[in-house]
Amino acid sequence: MTSEQDDSRLRQERLRKLEMIRELNINPYPYSFTRSHKAQELHEKYKDLPADTETEDVVRVCGRVLNERNTWMFVDLYDDSGKIQLFCHKQNIPEEELKRLRLLDKGDFLGAEGTVRRTKQGELSVKVTSYEILGKTLQPLPDSWDGFTDVEARYRHRYVDMIMNPNVRDTFRKRSIAIRTIREFLDSRGCLEVETPVLQVEAGGADARPFITHHNTLDIDLYLRIATELHLKRLIVGGFERVYEIGRIFRNEGISTRHNPEFTMLELYWAYGDYNQLMDLAEEMIVETAIKVAGASKVTYQGVEIDFKRPFRRLRMVDAIKETTGLDCSTLKTFEDAKTAAVKLGGVDLTHCDTRGHVLNAIFEHKAESSLIQPTFLIDYPVEMSPLTKPHRTNPGEVERFELFAYGRELANGYSELTDPLDQRQRLEEQAAKKAAGNEEAMPLDLDFINAMEYGMPPTMGIGIGIDRLVMLLTDSASIRDVVAFPTMKPIVK
RNA sequence: GCGUCCGUAGCUCAGCUGGUAGAGCACUCGGCUUUUAACCGAUUGGUCGUGCGUUCGAGUCGCACCGGACGCACCA
């Protein structure tokens, strides 16, 4: 096991110092501190101050001590805007107070007052005349020489990760910017942000295994939602023409660098539009988000340049298959034809395929998906794997669905929503039959959803975007855990 | 669930075909210093992931287990 950051020797030492601070009648955990400037503000205000120059300007700064040199003569103080150096010298501070600095440790919070100067070395500093401790640390921070690199420890103690690794804080700021951009984009287009139930009697709207929980007084099992789709569409039925939810989704599946059991999805439903208009809208939103987060529509992800430049390529699934395998799907009339062709290609896992459409999708996933590096809308899916999607207006057996891929990964899924209640009932009954036959990922029959649709639903376009995966791409994060502040971890068994 | 790799001091790691458990950093003490110290000196710190086995002798070899990383599978 890795360190729990509780080495008793180092902690005891800090407890000893804490005791000494208290014996001096100093509160090591005071109530407030009035600051005049953040570090960044000082750097901006005094950017033209020459080296080895003093000012008379008195400032008050506060933050966390992360480094100290020359026996506390130079202290690196960090706030959430950056670093400012403190210069602590007996010339300016009473000697006994100067000595008390040694009761501090790296990691402690400190407030200081003094004048602004730039040192001979060119480092902007606060020449400290008085200081106060604002929070004593008991746990030692990781070695700043080696950094905090243990992958497991970083995720388990994310707060330490954030203290030690500025890029981690930066990633979460960017995540916030991404979500805010999307909100503003949608709000400015008349979309209404709504909230729908997390706890559901049946978990529908996607193919995934749900988490199960229990309500005590009702004495019933409930599922955590695997999608927000079915409730958002009820809102469309209810008369809201543009609704969206940025919500946590829970799926009881494997954990990997691209999957966290809980993740954040944007789902948007917009009446009177179809999947063609939706692709235009999605492009615009994603490009705007990329520019706000990464500064440009072009980003580098894991060494590969990804250009979110409009328009994104639009590629029919059957054409993607043809491009990479040479296979003409129109010659595959039946499930058996498709299976035979897939076996002939080799390397296609058909374990969960029970229809022609699923086989085509498997061929795509195994042969073509990883080659979709630049943003590409894969369009026109087989009807069998899309029970909530409107049939294609011209191509039999297909539906008006797209998925957006970038770096070979799925980012979004959208379609012209199925609005025919009779067709919907039939498709969900087929799903329910599969579920009854043991397919854990098939959708349950949500009769109330069908009932809602029987009350009438306008033509609607709808999309789901994996926010975590989008943020991964825009922040060059290799793992979904890098963009989730507190990723799911196996508990430590003692 | 399967495969590959990994587990030695608080951290980063060394430790050869089996033979006295090490280094740097951190911590503590001391020194030096009115502009950079990631300095100098000394001390402290270990059930070598756990268990069993082979052996005169195991950090090292074997087996099992625990934990982790990555990949695959599952999953958009």
Side-chain angles (χ1 to χ4, degrees):
Chain A
M1 262 317 293
T2 53
S3 156
E4 286 302 302
Q5 303 300 319
D6 64 352
D7 177 64
S8 58
R9 234 181 62 246
L10 298 177
R11 188 165 181 274
Q12 285 304 320
E13 187 53 44
R14 282 157 193 251
L15 284 171
R16 186 180 67 83
K17 290 176 181 169
L18 179 68
E19 214 32 59
M20 290 169 74
I21 290 167
R22 287 205 155 114
E23 279 167 13
L24 290 165
N25 263 327
I26 297 168
N27 181 1
Y29 302 105
Y31 294 89
S32 66
F33 182 84
T34 303
R35 140 164 79 191
S36 69
H37 297 79
K38 284 195 178 183
Q40 183 58 37
E41 290 170 344
L42 289 178
H43 285 293
E44 275 163 24
K45 187 170 175 188
Y46 295 100
K47 63 177 188 291
D48 296 324
L49 188 69
D52 200 15
T53 313
E54 302 223 13
T55 73
E56 300 291 311
D57 304 350
V58 175
V59 298
R60 290 169 62 82
V61 293
C62 54
R64 191 193 284 273
V65 174
L66 286 187
N67 199 11
E68 152 271 326
R69 287 175 297 281
N70 231 358
T71 322
W72 293 91
M73 190 181 290
F74 301 99
V75 177
D76 290 339
L77 192 71
Y78 286 78
D79 61 29
D80 70 3
S81 76
K83 178 185 96 171
I84 184 70
Q85 175 171 279
L86 305 181
F87 174 63
C88 305
H89 194 270
K90 61 187 175 191
Q91 209 174 45
N92 318 301
I93 307 176
E95 197 152 354
E96 69 189 50
E97 274 185 48
L98 192 71
K99 264 189 178 161
R100 282 182 202 158
L101 274 169
R102 301 196 63 171
L103 296 176
L104 296 173
D105 287 289
K106 287 173 195 173
D108 290 353
F109 282 93
L110 190 66
E113 180 174 305
T115 51
V116 176
R117 60 164 302 176
R118 194 178 290 279
T119 67
K120 273 182 192 164
Q121 307 299 320
E123 186 72 34
L124 189 69
S125 308
V126 174
K127 190 167 84 176
V128 176
T129 50
S130 69
Y131 71 88
E132 59 185 291
I133 183 165
L134 299 178
K136 182 73 189 152
T137 315
L138 295 184
Q139 296 286 356
L141 289 172
D143 197 317
S144 60
W145 176 271
D146 299 307
F148 188 44
T149 54
D150 183 286
V151 176
E152 184 190 359
R154 284 186 47 216
Y155 295 135
R156 284 198 188 280
H157 307 288
R158 202 43 172 286
Y159 36 88
V160 182
D161 195 22
M162 290 168 175
I163 294 167
M164 298 304 294
N165 298 318
N167 58 318
V168 173
R169 293 197 300 274
D170 192 47
T171 295
F172 290 107
R173 278 196 203 97
K174 285 177 173 168
R175 183 185 173 111
S176 175
I177 291 169
I179 291 173
R180 186 164 67 243
T181 303
I182 289 169
R183 261 203 185 101
E184 286 170 358
F185 181 93
L186 294 174
D187 291 348
S188 71
R189 283 164 179 75
C191 300
L192 187 74
E193 183 171 13
V194 297
E195 293 177 282
T196 62
V198 171
L199 297 175
Q200 306 185 342
V201 176
E202 296 278 16
D207 299 333
R209 273 153 40 204
F211 284 93
I212 195 163
T213 186
H214 190 77
H215 190 282
N216 287 340
T217 55
L218 292 179
D219 193 23
I220 52 167
D221 284 342
L222 291 169
Y223 297 98
L224 303 189
R225 66 184 177 191
I226 57 173
T228 49
E229 175 157 359
L230 301 185
H231 283 94
L232 291 173
K233 284 185 187 170
R234 283 173 169 91
L235 290 164
I236 295 286
V237 169
F240 298 103
E241 294 186 357
R242 297 174 186 180
V243 292
Y244 73 97
E245 177 164 8
I246 297 172
R248 201 68 61 85
I249 300 295
F250 307 86
R251 296 189 182 174
N252 205 340
E253 308 282 1
I255 296 175
S256 78
T257 50
R258 290 177 296 282
H259 302 85
N260 196 57
E262 52 178 305
F263 61 100
T264 301
M265 183 138 83
L266 161 72
E267 285 200 44
L268 163 70
Y269 293 85
W270 181 306
Y272 307 110
D274 65 12
Y275 81 141
N276 291 309
Q277 290 160 263
L278 184 53
M279 282 186 273
D280 294 339
L281 185 76
E283 270 179 12
E284 200 180 343
M285 181 166 72
I286 287 168
V287 170
E288 189 164 321
T289 306
I291 289 169
K292 285 272 171 58
V293 172
S297 65
K298 212 179 269 188
V299 302
T300 299
Y301 185 74
Q302 307 293 292
V304 177
E305 195 169 88
I306 311 275
D307 193 353
F308 288 99
K309 189 182 147 203
R310 300 186 66 190
F312 302 166
R313 187 182 183 202
R314 298 182 188 191
L315 178 65
R316 284 171 44 75
M317 182 188 268
V318 292
D319 291 337
I321 291 172
K322 193 162 193 176
E323 260 186 25
T324 48
T325 68
L327 199 61
D328 182 356
C329 294
S330 67
T331 64
L332 310 174
K333 303 288 186 201
T334 65
F335 175 42
E336 292 302 327
D337 290 348
K339 223 160 56 171
T340 307
V343 170
K344 209 170 134 192
L345 283 173
V348 180
D349 181 7
L350 298 173
T351 314
H352 295 87
C353 296
D354 50 4
T355 66
R356 173 183 177 274
H358 284 92
V359 174
L360 295 190
N361 187 55
I363 293 172
F364 164 75
E365 283 184 356
H366 287 92
K367 297 296 182 187
E369 180 173 326
S370 62
S371 68
L372 301 182
I373 301 301
Q374 296 307 319
T376 302
F377 286 114
L378 190 79
I379 63 173
D380 299 344
Y381 278 64
V383 63
E384 300 95 318
M385 52 179 301
S386 312
L388 302 169
T389 311
K390 196 166 264 188
H392 198 284
R393 63 195 77 183
T394 52
N395 305 335
E398 291 180 0
V399 290
E400 294 198 349
R401 173 178 180 182
F402 66 81
E403 289 188 350
L404 174 61
F405 289 88
Y407 196 73
R409 295 180 187 167
E410 187 206 334
L411 275 187
N413 177 20
Y415 34 86
S416 301
E417 301 294 336
L418 181 57
T419 52
D420 174 345
L422 298 179
D423 191 359
Q424 184 66 85
R425 179 185 295 272
Q426 192 183 332
R427 295 222 223 151
L428 287 181
E429 277 171 353
E430 282 162 15
Q431 287 289 314
K434 277 192 185 182
K435 195 177 181 68
N439 184 339
E440 280 187 87
E441 279 118 35
M443 285 188 208
L445 182 61
D446 185 336
L447 289 171
D448 182 70
F449 171 66
I450 293 168
N451 190 51
M453 199 173 283
E454 292 203 353
Y455 277 90
M457 183 169 165
T460 301
M461 60 190 191
I463 187 171
I465 298 180
I467 296 296
D468 311 270
R469 289 189 178 177
L470 179 62
V471 174
M472 280 171 73
L473 271 178
L474 299 182
T475 57
D476 197 15
S477 298
S479 170
I480 195 169
R481 290 177 166 188
D482 294 325
V483 300
V484 174
F486 302 101
T488 305
M489 299 292 287
K490 199 170 171 179
I492 298 167
V493 183
K494 295 262 174 178

